[in-house]
Each structure stands twice: as structure tokens, then as C-alpha cells.
Amino acid sequence: MAGLESAALKLGGSVAQHAARFWLQRRRAKFERSASLAELAEQELGGPLKRRNLDNLVDRVETLVAEQLAPVLDSRFAALPDNEVEAAVLAVTDVLRQVDLSDEALLAADADPEALARRVREQFADRPAEVALAERAWPLYELALDQSCRHLVQVVRYLPAFQPAALAEVLSRLSRLEELLTTTPVTTLLAPRGTDHDTEFGQAYLRAVAKSLDRLELLGLPADEQPRLPLTVAYLSLRVSTTTRDRHEEREEKSWRGEMPVEWAVGRADRTLLRGEAGSGKTTLLHWLAVTAARAEFRGELRGWNGLVPFVVRLRTFAGGRLPAPEEFVAHGASAIAGLMPPGWVHRVLRGGAILLVDGVDEVPAPRRREVKAWLRELLDAHPSVKVVVTARPAAADQGWLSDEGFSAVTLDPMGPTNVRAFLRRWHDAAESAGVQADVATAHRRLSAQLERTHLRELAASPLLCAMLCALNLSHRASLPSSRMDLYAKALAMLLHLRDTERGLSGLLGDAEKRVLLRDLAWRLTLANRVELSRDEALRHLTTKLPAMPNVTADPEALLAHLLERSGVLREPVPGRVDFVHRTFQEYLAADEAVQQHHIPTLVAHAHLDTWRETVVMACGHATARQAGELVDGLLDRATAERRRARRLRLLAAACLETVRDIDPATHARVDAALGKLVPPRDLRETASLATVGHRVLKLLPTDLSELSDAKAAATVRTAALTGDAAALSLLSGYAKDPRDGVQDELQHGWQFFDPERYADEVLVDAPLRNGWLIVRSLKCLPFVGRLRHLGALSVYTDPPDDFGDLGGLPKLDDLMFFGDPDRPVDLHWLRDHPQLKRLRVYRAHHFSGLSVLATLSHLTDLGLSQSKPWEDLEFLRHTPRLVWLSLDNTGTLPNLDALHRLPELRWLVLTQYSADCLAATRPLPELASLALFDQEPELAPVPATFPALTMVNIRPAGRVDLSPLRALPLTELILQDYDGADLSVLGPSVKLKFL
């Protein structure tokens, strides 16, 4: 810091000296470059008083310039050695001596300091040969030269030619010069025209994003019936499957699987790959993140993201061309003001920290996904502090697709009963607010009752399909469908025809003609591996198709407008761009077109591409028996001919049996033979495709797992469970004897797909579990856990029940974890019924009440409490003297953590959102062995004094952290999450490092 301040003073002095010298020289007819300032002052300013005034001017200019330069230099070059700083400054002062600031030079640049400064930089662009600079010192030299030139020109331009008698008047105007210097823009490569308008544009951008994206589109309602439903009000939090980064013990890590709210997962990692099937809510989540960031309204685990600027990048827009440069990030959500963006604004925002939300890796053709990965890598190398969420369908990106770039991968889970109930309530509330002409309340009750049917529960697990069920139920037209193909067909029929008929509206097109045009557009998009097109392209496609439709006479422009306004399937998300309201509709209609036009060979040729998978599967659902046979036989023929793709193509052929209605028995036999080559599945990734075959795959699964590897055994169990077929119970009962952890995990996970009582009695009753340990993730299973003979310890990881009394009387309950609502308190009084509880973790509460009940939990050793309201005190810890592990957040407002001295057995401590001052004021805790600090200020200095015996530290800093204080600890292991380049050389050689 001192070296940079000294450099700023030297540069300020050089600017002041040269400005004064050039100023005095301007009176002379001949430019005396060699004359010093002292010589010129002697000639021009006769008396000592005037020369003293000049000295005061020079000193003041030196100080002003140094004050402007010091923070700029310190923000970028704090780590540069003093000798390299000195060399860069010498190089700049040498250049300043050679700058021509005569009247001719000033006039040539129209007396514009920016123009003249650019000319000076160009004139001295070559690196000075006289000074040998280290490579890392060149950015300092270039920035210092740039800023010094601007200040120098500003001073010279301000001080006019004068007679000696006028010096006092000129000097009296020093306050105006000070104003000019303090407002001289800090211009760099990132800010070529300064940053004067950054704040104004940033505010306008955030307002535009918040307004344009804060809308939830209810699939199933046409465009003119869409309510203006704020996304931030209707947003529904979903769960993801992942593995925690906590390192308490292996059991701790395994316990998180499938139990983490998506916001929690995203907030715990700066870079997240979010995987989810079609209609699972990926895009909705990104829009919610963008709107909430624009309004700085994050709470809970994401509160550290407040103040960051969000950018949404829809990869579908760039699927056929180059990927976007940062300047194009403002296009989605704020296109109307993109032309007002100051040059370099996005780069400056990214450098300071922003949120990048990249939607739809699966919407980019597979050969180009390497470009997406390279684009992300290059962007994040340049801007490592950016938070990133990338979405993709699982078929397009596996768990490790971005692991080399430091991404954590999570997968959106299907909605559970609690989520489905909340979704139904919000959908019907929105429909009622839109003025839909139906008895919405009655429809809501009717659908809730019908969802007790098994097949409908499965369909409702997807937000997209659940919305379709809501719309169909509201239409009163037919019983709800039993398969997703039937659901798509009835939803399209309702959107394309029934609603207009009900209201007596006539249109330009009948529903059959609408289907023809929409199918044609969907097929063209699919052939081009795209999911959107320009409005002009859509018009051209309609114009090309119309000659084949003799009964349609309307103008293509009117037809396109009609489809956009009345179909409920096609939309214009931004002016000039057209796409389907959901990609699933495009795939369904493209599959229909492929069958109608007999493009079966084209489907077979593209079947290896994951972007075509759903189109191929649904084409079998549209096809005649002959066409379905041709398609499936084509897939199997390719599998035989192409060994590299054989397994993928056979899995796809098997998946086609989900939708096929009629197929040649010989082809069916070929699929069964192909299944024999796919069973047992190699890993969990293959299980979903095999499970779609249903009861037929059960006949091929082995009855004994003992000869299978751990991965194949676990995948076999999951395949049987995912069928949900009652015939699977006998298989699963046999598998239950296998004691391997992976097998027992899958058996427990499969409980939710069957009648819970029968599954407990037939499958789990004699299962060894995991050495007696059972994890229950579904409330409906809890009443039957007492029937399991080998139950030794029960862990419940679920949503909080509507009535906590439902948890009463649970045998062996020693571990409870659930996530609350950041806007609501959690009352813990009901825990008095579970005195045997050993581990309790409650996350995402607003605050807690009833903490005194902890005194009744005499066996409690592990406690994690997370609340969005700052803790006022930690008095409740006096009730928990046996704690070994403790996790708390929002302790930053506490004066200290001395309450921890009441926990003599405490060895593990996790703190999130703490303060260094609080730690520094805490009396030493010499028994603590392990400390985790998450999202903290980058200050570790208090840690050795407060926790002198630490052997393991796990940190996820909120900024660049100085690790040198840790040298005072007997540290053996350091875990760095989201490593930001901190200097590791300050640590002792015996410290084991791990990066997450």
C-alpha cells in the first residue's frame, strides 16, 4: 500500500511539474523544451512571492492528482512488489518529459483532453526501451501513463496564457481546477470513456430485468387469458439431488441426497450445473434468480448475492451461430435499452462480480457443446468472481460435464406431494385472478381428489405436466389422461380449438389447419437443431407451406399473428423472435409431422443425438404399427452396425415402448432381445430408459445381485423400483437381503413409488438396512417404519409436516433434518416427544421459538440451526452441554461467541455469515479441532487466537483471503471452497490441501 501511495505522489508531482513548465513556456514564441521549471519561473515570475504562489500551485496539483490515482492503483496492483512499481513510475515520468503540449498540439486535438490523451498513448505505445519492466508491471505502466496524460492535459488546458501580473487571478481559480481534476474520468481498457453513466444505466437495466422477467406463464392458458402473475409471488421452491460438501463424516454427506432446496444448493456453490428433465422448472428458476437479484431481495442462503447484477443468456438464441460476447448479455430482459449501454459496462460489472444465468445447454447441437464449455471457461478465467448457474437436460450433460471448471452438479427432483399441493393452489389462484370463466374453486377440489390415482400422481410430479392437468381439468371436457402422450394430445386440442368454441369465437384457422402449420414449424426447427427462429423466418415457412393447403386463403402475416395470439402454443418471447411455449410442444408436434410426412429414415438417422431423443420416442406414439416397426427396427439395425452407439440406440428403442400403441410382434421380440444386452444396467444413468419399458424389463432383471458390481447392483434395484409395478415387489424383496450400502440406499429410495404399507411388509421388513440405519424422505412412509425388524436408527429428512404431531411416536428417531420457510418461524416445542434425538438440523427458518425444549434432548450431540434473522443471543446453548458438532449462521451481530464455553465437548463448529470482530472478542476455545467458515469476510486474523488447537479448517471466503494467520495453528488439513488464488506459500509444508 505504501509503495503505491508513493508511486501516486511521484506521478502527481511529475504531472504538476510538467504542467507548470508547459504553462510557462506558452508565452514564448519558441518552445524551449530544455528549460527547467525553475529557470522558466526565474524568467517569467520576477519576485519571490509570485514564485511561492507557483510552488503552492504545483504542490496542490501534485496532491490532487495523487489522491485521484492512489485508489485506482491500489485496487489493481496491491500485490506488485515495490521495485516493480518504482520501475513503472520511472517509465511513465520519462514519457511525460517528451509529451508535446504546445498550443499547436492542443489545437490539433480540438483542446479535448480525451483526444489528446489518446494521441499521447498512441505516440508512446511502444514499451520504453530505457526501462526494463517485469511482464506483470506493464499493466501498471499503461494505466499510470493513461491517467497521467489525462490529468496533465486537463491542467494545461485549464491554465491559459497570462501576463505575470495576472498570476494572482489565475491562482485564485484553483478551486475550479480542483473540481476538474476530481471529475477527470478514470479511463482504462475496461472503461474507454469513463464510468460517469454506469450507475444510471445499471439502475435502468435492473428495472428492465425485474419488469420483463417477473412474470409466470401458466402453460395451459392461451395468451389472451394469461394473468399478470408475478413470478416472485408464484415461485415454487423445488428440491435437488446432490451430495453435500460438509465434512462432518461420511454419514453426513450421504444424508443430503435428494433433500436440498434448489436455492440452498445454488447458494452454497458459486458455480452450479442444474440438470432437469423437460418441464422440471429450470428456466423458471433462472428467471426467479434474475428478478430477485435485480431487486436485491435474496434472503437466507442466497443473501450474499444481493448487490450483484444478473445476466440471462438463452443459448437457444445462439444455437446456430457464435456464442455471445459479454456486450450481448443485456439482450435478454433489457433489449429495449441495450443501445444506451456505456461502452465496456458489462465487462466492468463482470469484473466486480455478477450473476450469469445460462439457459439450455441441451438446446445447442451436441457437436457445439464443446464450444459452450470453452466459452464458459474463457469467460470465467477472465472474470473468476462471477456466480454462474447453467441449465441442461440430463441427456445433454452428465454430472461431471463442467467439473473441471469448478461446477457443482445438482439434479432437479420430481415434485413431491407438498410441492404438488402448492402448485395446484397457485395455478388455480392465478386462473381465478385472470377472470377465467369457470368454477375455479370446484375444479381445484376435483383435481386434488383425482390426484390420488397413481398414474396422475406420476404425471403431476413435473411442473409442466401438472399445469396441463390443471388446464384440462378446468376445461370440463374429458376424464384426465393416463399417459403423457394422451395428456399432450388433449392439452393441444383444448388450446387449439375448444376454448374458442366455448366462447363462440371464429378464427382464421380451424384446429386441423393450426396443427398442420405448427407441425411444419416444429419440424423445421428440429431439423435445424434450433428451438427458436426470427419472425421473418416463420413468415417464410408459413408462405412456403400455404400452397399445400388449398382451403386456407388468409395472408401469412395474419396467420402468424393468429397463431401467436390464439394457439396458446406459439409465442413471441421478445420482439422479432418466435418459439414454442415449451420445447416439449415442439418435440410432440415435430414427431407428429415426421409421422405424417413419413420422415422415419430421418428420425433414425438423428436418433443418436440427445436433442432428438424425445422426438423419436413420441414419434412412436403417433405412428401406425407399420411406422413404429420401421422406426424401432431402424434403431436396432443401427445399433448392430454402429458398435460405438449400440448401447445408446438400444436404450432408445426400449424407451420407445413407453409410447407405442401397436407394433409388429417380431419387432417387439427384437426389443426384448436387445433388452437382454442392456440388463443389468451399467449405472444409474441407464435406469430411467429401462424403467419406461415397464413390467417387461422385470422379467430380464436378475433375481440375485451377488454376482454384480456395486454400481450394477444399485442400478438394478433402481430400475425395478422406477417401474412402480406391483410385480417388482417380489424382485425387490429378494434384493433386500443384499447388505451393500448402495443396494440398501436404493431400496429405501424406492419406497416412495409403491404403496408404503405393502412395501414395508414385503420388501423392507427383514432388510438389514445400512447396519440398521434407515433414512425416510417421504412423510407417507413414516407410519410404517415400526414394522422394520432391523431398524436401529431412524433419520427423517423431509419437508416439515403440516402437523408435527405426525412425527410423534416414531421408534428409534435419532436424526431429524428439514428445511423451513425463510419467511416463517419454526416452533420446536414438539421435540419434547423425541427425547432420544441425537442429531437435529433445521434450515431456512426465519427464526426459532421454543428453543428451551432442547433441555429435554439429553442425547443431543449434533445441532444445526439456520435462520435469516440475526441471532440476538445464544442462551439456548446452555441446554445442550453434550454438543460435539454445531452449525450456526447470522452470528455477525453478536458481540462474541463466549456462549460456546458452555459446550465442553464441542469439537466441530460451522459458522456462516459471521464477523471477524465477533470472533476476535471471543475468549479462546482450546478444545475445538475443526472449524468451517462460509461466506465470511476475508479476515482470518482472529482465528488462531480464538481457536488455537485447530487441526482442520474449511473455508469458503466472500473475497480474496490472507491465509498467513493460519500458520500459527497446528493445522494438518485445509479445505478451500471456490479457491480464488490466495497465496498458499504462507502455509506450512505439512498442511494437506483440498480444493472443492
Side-chain angles (χ1 to χ4, degrees):
M1 178 67 178
L4 290 172
E5 287 185 351
S6 177
L9 281 169
K10 288 180 181 178
L11 290 170
S14 182
V15 168
Q17 290 278 334
H18 292 306
R21 184 163 63 89
F22 289 128
W23 181 39
L24 292 173
Q25 285 171 332
R26 292 177 67 187
R27 292 187 68 248
R28 294 183 171 272
K30 183 178 180 181
F31 189 83
E32 297 184 4
R33 182 179 295 274
S34 61
S36 68
L37 178 60
E39 292 170 340
L40 288 170
E42 182 72 27
Q43 296 173 23
E44 297 297 322
L45 308 173
L49 183 58
K50 291 177 180 177
R51 288 198 294 274
R52 174 63 63 86
N53 286 338
L54 178 64
D55 292 340
N56 290 338
L57 171 66
V58 171
D59 289 343
R60 185 58 179 145
V61 171
E62 175 184 359
T63 302
L64 287 171
V65 174
E67 288 175 347
Q68 294 299 303
L69 290 176
V72 179
L73 302 183
D74 182 59
S75 66
R76 294 189 57 185
F77 305 105
L80 204 61
D82 289 348
N83 63 314
E84 295 182 14
V85 172
E86 179 73 17
V89 170
L90 289 175
V92 173
T93 56
D94 180 67
V95 168
L96 293 180
R97 283 195 296 269
Q98 305 173 54
V99 173
D100 178 9
L101 291 179
S102 64
D103 286 344
E104 292 79 3
L106 287 170
L107 292 173
D110 297 324
D112 180 357
E114 293 294 317
L116 186 58
R118 286 196 297 272
R119 183 179 62 77
V120 170
R121 291 202 313 277
E122 293 169 0
Q123 180 182 352
F124 297 96
D126 294 334
R127 297 177 173 181
E130 298 86 350
V131 182
L133 293 184
E135 189 65 30
R136 57 183 174 178
W138 283 112
L140 171 59
Y141 162 78
E142 292 166 353
L143 176 64
L145 176 62
D146 187 27
Q147 296 304 310
S148 297
C149 284
R150 279 176 167 74
H151 285 91
L152 177 58
V153 172
Q154 195 74 277
V155 176
V156 172
R157 178 172 175 245
Y158 177 76
L159 298 175
F162 65 97
Q163 297 298 325
L167 179 60
E169 172 62 23
V170 171
L171 294 177
S172 71
R173 294 156 56 188
L174 185 60
S175 61
R176 171 59 181 158
L177 176 60
E178 180 173 346
E179 179 183 347
L180 284 173
L181 287 177
T182 56
T183 57
T184 297
V186 178
T187 55
T188 65
L189 180 63
L190 289 177
R193 297 182 186 174
T195 60
D196 292 352
H197 299 291
D198 277 13
T199 301
E200 181 183 2
F201 179 78
Q203 292 173 347
Y205 171 76
L206 293 177
R207 286 194 299 269
V209 168
K211 185 174 182 179
S212 65
L213 298 183
D214 192 15
R215 180 170 183 172
L216 185 65
E217 190 165 3
L218 294 182
L219 296 178
L221 294 183
D224 64 347
E225 290 185 3
Q226 285 289 333
R228 182 68 190 188
L229 180 65
L231 171 62
T232 45
V233 173
Y235 173 72
L236 181 68
S237 176
L238 299 176
R239 293 287 191 265
V240 294
S241 296
T242 185
T243 299
T244 183
R245 289 179 172 182
D246 289 348
R247 288 180 45 81
H248 180 38
E249 55 184 341
E250 180 184 358
R251 175 175 166 181
E252 177 76 15
E253 294 185 3
K254 295 291 289 186
S255 70
W256 288 89
R257 191 181 65 136
E259 287 305 318
M260 189 179 294
V262 63
E263 303 87 2
W264 180 276
V266 169
R268 288 163 61 90
D270 286 341
R271 301 176 181 182
T272 303
L273 172 62
L274 180 68
R275 304 164 71 243
E277 298 292 352
S280 59
K282 301 184 295 296
T283 300
T284 299
L285 171 67
L286 293 196
H287 287 186
W288 178 82
L289 289 170
V291 172
T292 310
R295 294 174 177 162
E297 293 179 348
F298 284 121
R299 295 186 299 275
E301 55 280 350
L302 284 169
R303 57 184 173 269
W305 289 29
N306 286 323
L308 300 180
V309 175
F311 297 108
V312 179
V313 176
R314 298 168 61 192
L315 289 178
R316 63 169 63 186
T317 305
F318 306 94
R322 63 173 181 81
L323 294 167
E327 293 81 4
E328 299 170 271
F329 288 178
V330 300
H332 186 57
S335 58
I337 64 170
L340 302 176
M341 182 175 66
W345 180 78
V346 175
H347 290 275
R348 294 191 291 279
V349 171
L350 291 173
R351 187 177 174 202
I355 303 171
L356 182 61
L357 306 168
V358 182
D359 193 23
V361 170
D362 51 288
E363 294 173 353
V364 176
R368 296 200 63 213
R369 289 178 195 153
R370 288 186 179 179
E371 296 178 41
V372 174
K373 187 184 293 189
W375 170 76
L376 276 170
R377 184 186 304 117
E378 182 178 347
L379 186 68
L380 296 178
D381 285 347
H383 307 289
S385 61
V386 171
K387 315 283 189 185
V388 192
V389 181
V390 178
T391 71
R393 290 188 183 182
D398 60 26
Q399 291 276 357
W401 188 66
L402 289 174
S403 59
D404 289 343
E405 283 67 46
F407 279 72
S408 297
V410 297
T411 303
L412 279 168
D413 289 335
M415 292 195 299
T418 301
N419 288 135
V420 171
R421 288 195 298 270
F423 187 99
L424 296 182
R425 182 179 65 254
R426 296 180 186 186
W427 194 98
H428 288 89
D429 287 347
E432 190 169 30
S433 69
V436 173
Q437 299 300 310
D439 187 346
V440 176
T442 299
H444 184 188
R445 289 192 297 271
R446 182 172 62 248
L447 181 57
S448 297
Q450 290 184 80
L451 283 178
E452 293 304 314
R453 290 155 51 187
T454 301
H455 73 271
L456 286 185
R457 285 203 307 267
E458 293 172 356
L459 288 176
S462 158
L464 170 68
L465 300 186
C466 194
M468 291 186 189
L469 287 172
C470 290
L472 279 174
N473 175 65
L474 195 64
S475 72
H476 298 283
R477 283 294 168 177
S479 60
L480 292 176
S482 59
S483 72
R484 64 187 181 111
M485 286 296 289
D486 288 342
L487 179 55
Y488 298 148
K490 291 183 177 180
L492 279 170
M494 176 192 68
L495 291 171
L496 297 180
H497 176 68
L498 294 178
R499 286 191 178 275
D500 283 350
T501 301
E502 286 176 352
R503 293 175 300 181
L505 296 177
S506 60
L508 296 175
L509 297 168
D511 63 320
E513 288 83 4
K514 290 177 188 176
R515 276 182 180 272
V516 170
L517 292 175
L518 290 169
R519 287 197 327 244
D520 182 71
L521 285 175
W523 179 246
R524 290 177 184 273
L525 281 169
T526 301
L527 278 175
N529 278 314
R530 297 168 63 188
V531 291
E532 73 172 20
L533 70 169
S534 70
R535 189 183 180 103
D536 290 341
E537 288 177 295
L539 276 174
R540 286 198 298 271
H541 292 324
L542 290 179
T543 303
T544 302
K545 183 65 178 178
L546 286 177
M549 304 175 68
N551 295 322
V552 177
T553 59
D555 176 76
E557 181 70 49
L559 290 174
L560 180 58
H562 180 73
L563 290 174
L564 290 170
E565 293 170 5
R566 296 300 314 141
S567 72
V569 179
L570 204 65
R571 65 178 180 179
E572 191 172 13
V574 297
R577 306 297 299 179
V578 174
D579 68 359
F580 284 86
V581 71
H582 198 279
R583 184 174 165 188
T584 295
F585 282 115
Q586 176 186 324
E587 291 166 332
Y588 178 88
L589 289 164
D592 195 7
E593 177 73 359
V595 169
Q596 294 291 333
Q597 302 297 330
H598 198 73
H599 294 313
I600 305 301
T602 304
L603 291 172
V604 172
H606 290 83
H608 63 285
L609 300 174
D610 60 77
T611 51
W612 283 68
R613 183 185 186 280
E614 287 300 302
T615 303
V616 171
V617 170
M618 285 192 274
C620 267
H622 289 295
T624 63
R626 182 174 180 179
Q627 289 173 317
E630 182 180 346
L631 177 53
V632 174
D633 281 335
L635 297 177
L636 297 176
D637 290 343
R638 276 195 68 189
T640 301
E642 303 174 31
R643 295 185 60 184
R644 183 168 62 91
R645 295 169 174 157
R647 196 167 184 88
R648 173 181 293 187
L649 291 167
R650 286 174 180 141
L651 282 167
L652 180 56
C656 286
L657 296 185
E658 174 206 358
T659 61
V660 71
R661 295 171 298 175
D662 187 13
I663 196 168
D664 184 86
T667 302
H668 192 177
R670 288 191 68 189
V671 175
D672 285 342
L675 281 173
K677 298 178 181 179
L678 299 173
V679 174
R682 292 178 178 176
D683 52 44
L684 297 176
R685 290 177 296 181
E686 297 183 349
T687 58
S689 293
L690 287 174
T692 59
V693 179
H695 64 88
R696 290 180 295 274
V697 75
L698 297 175
K699 301 174 183 178
L700 302 173
L701 292 175
T703 57
D704 180 35
L705 304 177
S706 59
E707 300 299 321
L708 300 182
S709 67
D710 290 353
K712 288 183 177 180
T716 299
V717 177
R718 179 175 291 191
T719 300
L722 286 178
T723 65
D725 194 290
L729 290 173
S730 60
L731 267 180
L732 293 169
S733 177
Y735 298 158
K737 302 172 185 176
D738 192 309
R740 284 178 286 184
D741 286 352
V743 171
Q744 294 299 316
D745 283 344
E746 293 302 327
L747 286 168
Q748 295 177 30
H749 190 258
W751 199 351
Q752 62 186 306
F753 304 122
F754 298 87
D755 175 79
E757 182 176 14
R758 185 177 177 188
Y759 195 92
D761 290 340
E762 297 184 20
V763 177
L764 296 178
V765 60
D766 284 317
L769 310 176
R770 294 188 63 187
N771 294 320
W773 178 35
L774 173 70
I775 301 176
V776 175
R777 294 183 171 86
S778 176
L779 291 171
K780 71 177 184 178
C781 301
L782 287 177
F784 309 104
V785 297
R787 305 188 183 193
L788 279 55
R789 297 191 179 102
H790 297 291
L791 178 65
L794 173 63
S795 293
V796 176
Y797 305 142
T798 182
D799 291 327
D802 297 330
D803 180 2
F804 283 108
D806 294 343
L807 298 178
L810 289 177
K812 310 291 185 178
L813 177 64
D814 73 347
D815 182 11
L816 176 64
M817 187 273 286
F818 64 86
F819 290 87
D821 185 331
D823 295 324
R824 297 182 180 180
V826 170
D827 188 343
L828 298 178
H829 279 108
W830 53 274
L831 288 174
R832 67 171 62 91
D833 295 331
H834 303 283
Q836 76 279 13
L837 201 64
K838 296 177 182 177
R839 293 155 52 89
L840 172 67
R841 286 151 298 146
V842 184
Y843 298 108
R844 302 180 86 227
H846 180 267
H847 67 276
F848 293 95
S849 61
L851 286 167
S852 60
V853 76
L854 297 177
T856 67
L857 308 181
S858 59
H859 299 283
L860 192 67
T861 60
D862 293 27
L863 177 64
L865 298 177
S866 167
Q867 64 176 35
S868 55
K869 179 183 178 182
W871 290 99
E872 297 178 359
D873 60 66
L874 299 180
E875 277 299 304
F876 65 91
L877 292 179
R878 63 189 173 90
H879 302 309
T880 58
R882 298 185 62 182
L883 286 185
V884 176
W885 183 88
L886 175 65
S887 175
L888 295 171
D889 63 358
N890 256 340
T891 60
T893 58
L894 294 174
N896 57 60
L897 298 179
D898 284 345
L900 299 182
H901 285 276
R902 294 172 173 170
L903 309 176
E905 299 182 39
L906 187 66
R907 298 295 181 270
W908 298 69
L909 178 63
V910 180
L911 296 175
T912 304
Q913 297 289 329
Y914 77 98
S915 78
D917 291 341
C918 177
L919 289 189
T922 301
R923 288 184 287 117
L925 291 157
E927 303 301 322
L928 198 73
S930 176
L931 177 68
L933 300 174
F934 298 144
D935 302 327
Q936 83 280 8
E937 44 188 90
E939 175 59 63
L940 297 178
V943 170
T946 306
F947 312 104
L950 291 177
T951 57
M952 196 277 279
V953 171
N954 182 348
I955 59 175
R956 183 177 66 230
R960 181 66 64 89
V961 62
D962 177 13
L963 300 175
S964 58
L966 300 183
R967 294 199 67 168
L969 295 171
L971 203 62
T972 59
E973 184 176 7
L974 175 63
I975 301 171
L976 291 169
Q977 299 193 23
D978 305 323
Y979 174 57
D980 63 353
D983 185 4
L984 302 177
S985 65
V986 300
L987 299 171
S990 61
V991 178
K992 179 183 177 182
L993 295 173
K994 185 170 182 178
F995 301 93
L996 295 179

